Amino acid sequence: MSTFQELGLNEDLLKAITDLGFEKPSEVQAKAIPLLLEEDKDLVALAQTGTGKTAAFGFPMLQKIDIDSRTTQGLILSPTRELCLQITNELKLYGKYCKGLNVVAIYGGSSISDQARAVKRGAQIIVATPGRMKDMISRRMVDISKIQYSVLDEADEMLNMGFKEDITDILSHTPEDKNTWLFSATMPKEVATIAKKFMHNPTEITVGNKNESTSNVSHEYYLVNARDRYQALKRLADANPDIFSVIFCRTKRDTQKVAENLIEDGYSAGALHGDLSQNQRDLVMKSFRNQQIQMLVATDVAARGIDVDDITHVINYQLPDEIETYTHRSGRTGRAGKTGVSMVIVSKSEVRKIKSIERIIKKDFDKKEIPSGGDIVEVQLMSLANKIHTTETNHEIDKHLESINELFADTDKDELIKKFFSVEFNRFFNYYQKSKDLGVVESRGSDRDGGRDYGKQSNDSRYFINVGSKDGFDWMKLKDFLKEQLELGRDDVFKVDVKESFSFFNTEKGLQEKVLAFFTDFKYEGRFVNVEVSEDRGGRSRGGGGRSRGGNDRRSGGGSRRRDDKPRGDRRSSGGSGNRSDRRRSDDNRGDRRSSDRGDRRSSESSSAGSDRPRRSRRRD
Ligand code: ADP
Ligand code: MG
């Protein structure tokens, strides 16, 4: 692929690109930038989220405008305030060596006169949401009559949000002979209509297939009874200890409710939707970006286009009304070359929608079971073991070692390990021991693993392996890898479950010896790969469920993980999993909660939830 130099960008921009660490143009950039630099023409560019569209229009615009002039020459319309700010910040970074450049963001919920003043100072580029822009035009606070370049970013979403009239109105105040560049992830009919209406013979570029989802995202669905939705969500989170995710709900109310429930249950979560004040939204987004909250519960509109890297999972708590929206949701993960998982919790009545989505994204879903209590306990235990294993020893402890040793003089290693884990684990274990399974039988026989019934007491062996997504594996890659290394057939490896730094898989019992023998001395990318039989599986994992529903089963906190009632250090994995280990629930990530009613709810709840509730004292209480 070409270099940024070859695209024809000037020195100031190239310098900024070097600073940003962009090594080579993305596909949409390689296609759009030379085209826009060379000619004054209209453009329709279709590319998935996360493909670098901002730079694809940002660099050409920065190069083409006259920075010595104070006239507003570029107008970028984007659907939400968050995006508007994101684009503005990006443009400022791209143009950091363009002396005199002034990019101004215009959006609702913040002082209109401040924004008007900023524009008056001479903004060559305005980035705006349609509503506020229209407002400012009608109050004559902006002059866009000399615009040369207009961008409709996330055009599909702006139309979804009902901005069509605002856009029409705004564009009627711009010169007829300007250029319009339209960027969109999908191309529904309305976008085509807009393109026809406002653009002259536009060049169309497409990256990937229209409406198709990113290739490094795998799609899973989980069939549950509608009333078990929330429990299912918690289990998905609990089965993925290092989850960093966006959870999509259909309405603002559900969004708020799910977030509140998660917070009450001790998860590190926050809500993002349009009923929150701008300040609250900013706080939540900031905490999420800093990975201080692990689960952002959001409406489609509020989360649209948000560019946060490293999201491991997108969870569709409910499917969107318009199935096209699914592409946007799943596009929040699997960014910047990483793999991601998009999970859908569906009830029986919605399961047919999965087929329609498969047609749109041109990928198959993997039907999965909501993890059983046994599965979750196992994952959490192994995750903790793995963290302990990779933790760098703190030698401050050395000086206390003698007295500690004395205390444990009569405890052998196994016993000590069990005790140690019990400290962390009893609460979790007790909760899930009582829980029932959440799966629902379904007739759609498209199980990737050939419809195996894992529920039966089986002849399978379950293994733990110490590689995971941070080694570049997703379940498909790991399955292929194992099959290849072990020279096994298509269906010999199954139930592959990839976590961040470790994974699980099954084979027939008969293969156990072979598998273990192979991995006694096997190195992958320079380090030993360790495979162990995970005894827990099979016996308890499903058998443990199926009890009658206890009163606490429905909404009780269950496997609530609280992550931070202890010093940071002990959550740390030195295994290079990045700053995710720094994620923590902090006091400022609860900007979305009305503190006034927290106390009441807490006390009424803790009295009603009874003693079963495996929660511990929480620092913030
Ligand atoms: P989109 O608008 O297509 O969803 P963005 O413009 O928000 O994508 O870009 C996604 C991320 O990729 C941003 O963090 C951006 O800084 C980064 N990015 C853009 N272009 C490149 C590039 N050529 N190389 C590396 N990173 C890039
Ligand atoms: Mg974008």
Side-chain angles (χ1 to χ4, degrees), residues 167-213:
I167 294 172
T168 310
D169 188 78
I170 292 164
L171 292 182
S172 74
H173 291 85
T174 61
E176 182 61 22
D177 64 353
K178 69 178 177 307
N179 290 143
T180 303
W181 307 336
L182 182 150
F183 285 78
S184 191
T186 60
M187 184 72 167
K189 259 208 280 338
E190 303 77 57
V191 174
T193 316
I194 277 266
K196 221 189 223 134
K197 184 161 171 195
F198 293 109
M199 304 171 78
H200 308 289
N201 194 18
T203 307
E204 189 176 316
I205 59 180
T206 306
V207 171
N209 288 326
K210 285 178 198 178
N211 300 335
E212 198 171 317
S213 80

Side-chain angles (χ1 to χ4, degrees), residues 4 22-26 29 48-55 86 90 94 307 309 335:
F4 277 107
F22 292 2
E23 280 165 14
K24 54 180 198 225
S26 70
Q29 292 162 5
Q48 302 147 9
T49 38
T51 50
K53 293 192 286 292
T54 317
Q86 197 170 293
E90 287 271 305
Y94 301 163
D307 170 39
D309 287 340
R335 294 166 76 86

Side-chain angles (χ1 to χ4, degrees), residues 294-357:
Q294 279 187 290
M295 298 197 269
L296 181 72
V297 191
T299 56
D300 287 298
V301 168
R304 185 57 208 279
I306 284 173
D307 170 39
V308 176
D309 287 340
D310 298 329
I311 291 173
T312 59
H313 294 76
V314 164
I315 302 182
N316 293 262
Y317 186 76
Q318 295 141 335
L319 277 175
D321 289 327
E322 299 211 11
I323 48 178
E324 283 80 8
T325 307
Y326 180 83
T327 314
H328 294 305
R329 291 182 171 188
S330 58
R332 299 293 107 227
T333 184
R335 294 166 76 86
K338 303 215 177 69
T339 57
V341 182
S342 174
M343 300 171 152
V344 183
I345 303 174
V346 281
S347 63
K348 254 184 170 162
S349 64
E350 303 165 309
V351 76
R352 69 198 151 72
K353 280 194 180 175
I354 294 289
K355 269 256 179 289
S356 325
I357 294 175

Side-chain angles (χ1 to χ4, degrees), residues 430-446:
N430 289 342
Y431 171 70
Y432 272 118
Q433 208 180 23
K434 289 180 194 154
S435 66
K436 65 164 191 117
D437 281 358
L438 299 180
V440 176
V441 188
E442 184 229 355
S443 48
R444 183 183 186 272
S446 71

